[in-house]
Amino acid sequence: MTQTDFLYLMPLIILTVAALVNMLVVAAWRNHKIIYVITAVSFVAAFLSLFELRGITAYTIDPLFVIDSFGVFYIGLILATSLLISMLSYAYFEQREEQKEEYYILLILSTLGACTLVISTHFASLFLGLEVLSVALYSLISYLRGREHSDEAGVKYLILAAFSSAFLLFGMALVYFSLGTMSFGGIAAAITDLPTLPLLLLTGFGMMIVGIGFKLSVVPFHMWTPDVYEGAPAPVTAFIATVSKAGVLGILIRFFMEVDGFRYPTLLTIFTIVAIASMIAGNLLALMQTNVKRILAYSSISHLGYLLVAFLAGNQMGVEAITFYLVAYFITTVGAFGVVAMLSDTERDAELLEDYRSLLWRRPWTATAFTAMLLSLAGIPLTAGFVGKFYILAAGVNTQQWLLVSMLVLNSIIGLYYYIKIIAVMFQQPEAEAEPRERLRPSIYLASVGTLAVLTLLLVLVGVYPAALVDAIQNIFSSAPAFVAK
């Protein structure tokens, strides 16, 4: 590797060094605040290092990575989200007696895995990034082992991840056997003149889609996803719903755009069925839940179905719609789980609907922020979620995917019910006088309330004035060779 290679990989190097520094500090002196500061500074430093890469077209580190405007934007999105989650995590864990320092090491490693994924152009780097992300998540999910469903959630995620890795590796092996290459560029060159995919190669791609489906928790690979969301600590649940999904979606987009997989009707049919099933099953199952974390889990499944509508557009506008929707979805989802984390106590997370009854009268600002997040998830105008959903609809209409567009509209209407159900519970009149709130220490107050305030402001800002973000995304993809409109 050259000095230039190290410069372009600087965000990943900073995260690696931060994880090592945290391990050394924990070995010498356990201090939650110091470890949190090191973690937050590392995320900020990695994010700032991306400004050195702005304006690039594509820099290849053969054969594993390509650093282009797409990868830089997604790494920036992942790092910013991880920083916000680390702030929520500090407020969440500071009130608990468990040893919390190792949590931040795992958080950094998971973020490193997601960042590795979005710049990968080879099966080896893809699998390396996926395993770094997944292995750290096993421990993050079951970190609070004293919790009732913590170990169960960790084991279930371990089994799901094992299935995912098995299918993905078997699919990669079949693709390599058929084409003799594991690089995305080599695969693209090998199938350029193939009007249809041979059965063995199609099987390999199909198994890879199954492996990715488990990671994205789309139907029918969603099985234990709600159990994992319910058993994991609230900040970890936010991480699973956002950062881990961004890494996997990023590599999926890059791979399919690189090999032009949208030419093959069989693959499009598979994704169409998965998208429709995810939208319908996610929303219908969410209707039957009384646990807020499970509602948000099924909601995330349906939102992945929405994202697949733009993915199936298979062009630059579709990728732009996915990226804009991810930004809106990240703001909203981190904010929603931030409220859950803020209301949680040392015994359990605030996950039952009963925990939110009359919240407007007990914590009016928190209830207002949570209402804004839920309305954004529902796609109500003047929120970031509405603009994101409109962008996805435009991408679907532009490619005449009428079935998918109609399913998206129908399921958005269904989804409105369970979001309104939570809001209605928060707005109920209290039956008794509200208990006085426990005053938080200034550091905890700043980390939790400050983060939630920033997210709420961003949600409204993107919803009212989306043009700046849209222009930025369009400029990014117009300069990325693999994503120029075809």
Side-chain angles (χ1 to χ4, degrees), residues 10 76 165 203 292 343 363-364 370 378 381 428 446:
M10 188 56 65
S165 298
T203 304
V292 172
L343 298 177
R363 297 192 178 199
F370 197 26
Q428 284 183 1
L446 180 63

Side-chain angles (χ1 to χ4, degrees), residues 72-84:
V72 169
F73 185 89
Y74 270 67
I75 289 175
L77 180 60
I78 288 168
L79 291 172
T81 307
S82 297
L83 174 63
L84 291 169

Side-chain angles (χ1 to χ4, degrees), residues 254-289:
R254 185 181 291 282
F255 179 72
F256 264 78
M257 294 298 283
E258 183 83 21
V259 305
D260 197 14
F262 303 100
R263 291 183 295 145
Y264 303 104
T266 305
L267 298 180
L268 294 182
T269 302
I270 293 172
F271 276 108
T272 300
I273 294 171
V274 168
I276 293 173
S278 298
M279 286 188 278
I280 294 174
N283 282 305
L284 291 182
L285 290 170
L287 291 174
M288 298 181 281
Q289 306 302 315

Side-chain angles (χ1 to χ4, degrees), residues 74-285:
Y74 270 67
I75 289 175
L77 180 60
I78 288 168
L79 291 172
T81 307
S82 297
L83 174 63
L84 291 169
I85 291 173
S86 71
M87 294 171 68
L88 294 173
S89 300
Y90 175 75
Y92 181 86
F93 282 100
E94 182 66 10
Q95 305 174 71
R96 285 159 178 75
E97 298 299 327
E98 295 93 349
Q99 292 182 341
K100 42 263 209 202
E101 290 79 13
E102 289 83 359
Y103 170 88
Y104 296 94
I105 301 172
L106 296 168
L107 185 66
I108 292 172
L109 290 175
S110 293
T111 305
L112 175 63
C115 292
T116 303
L117 277 175
V118 298
I119 59 172
S120 295
T121 57
H122 194 279
F123 284 167
S125 53
L126 186 163
F127 191 72
L128 176 66
L130 200 62
E131 288 306 294
V132 171
L133 170 65
S134 300
V135 172
L137 274 177
Y138 304 155
S139 301
L140 283 174
I141 289 167
S142 56
Y143 195 82
L144 297 177
R145 295 192 60 198
R147 291 283 183 87
E148 185 177 357
H149 301 293
S150 180
D151 287 343
E152 176 191 347
V155 170
K156 284 181 174 179
Y157 187 82
L158 173 63
I159 295 171
L160 286 175
F163 272 109
S164 172
S165 298
F167 276 103
L168 195 62
L169 278 176
F170 208 129
M172 288 177 180
L174 291 177
V175 172
Y176 179 65
F177 177 79
S178 301
L179 302 177
T181 180
M182 290 193 290
S183 70
F184 296 176
I187 294 170
I191 67 174
T192 298
D193 299 324
L194 294 179
T196 57
L197 295 175
L199 180 60
L200 195 61
L201 183 58
L202 181 61
T203 304
F205 281 142
M207 296 189 77
M208 288 181 65
I209 291 172
V210 171
I212 294 296
F214 275 111
K215 289 298 180 185
L216 291 177
S217 302
V218 290
V219 176
F221 317 110
H222 64 293
M223 297 180 291
W224 287 328
T225 299
D227 298 332
V228 172
Y229 275 55
E230 183 182 3
V236 177
T237 310
F239 188 92
I240 298 169
T242 54
V243 172
S244 69
K245 298 292 190 292
V248 178
L249 264 175
I251 192 63
L252 179 65
I253 294 168
R254 185 181 291 282
F255 179 72
F256 264 78
M257 294 298 283
E258 183 83 21
V259 305
D260 197 14
F262 303 100
R263 291 183 295 145
Y264 303 104
T266 305
L267 298 180
L268 294 182
T269 302
I270 293 172
F271 276 108
T272 300
I273 294 171
V274 168
I276 293 173
S278 298
M279 286 188 278
I280 294 174
N283 282 305
L284 291 182
L285 290 170

Side-chain angles (χ1 to χ4, degrees), residues 260-336:
D260 197 14
F262 303 100
R263 291 183 295 145
Y264 303 104
T266 305
L267 298 180
L268 294 182
T269 302
I270 293 172
F271 276 108
T272 300
I273 294 171
V274 168
I276 293 173
S278 298
M279 286 188 278
I280 294 174
N283 282 305
L284 291 182
L285 290 170
L287 291 174
M288 298 181 281
Q289 306 302 315
T290 57
N291 183 300
V292 172
K293 288 173 80 173
R294 293 183 74 89
I295 289 174
L296 293 174
Y298 284 116
S299 167
S300 74
I301 294 171
S302 66
H303 282 278
L304 263 297
Y306 303 155
L307 282 165
L308 287 179
V309 176
F311 174 76
L312 285 164
N315 56 20
Q316 182 179 335
M317 184 179 183
V319 179
E320 290 170 2
I322 292 173
T323 305
F324 186 97
Y325 196 85
L326 279 179
V327 174
Y329 177 70
F330 279 23
I331 293 170
T332 306
T333 303
V334 174

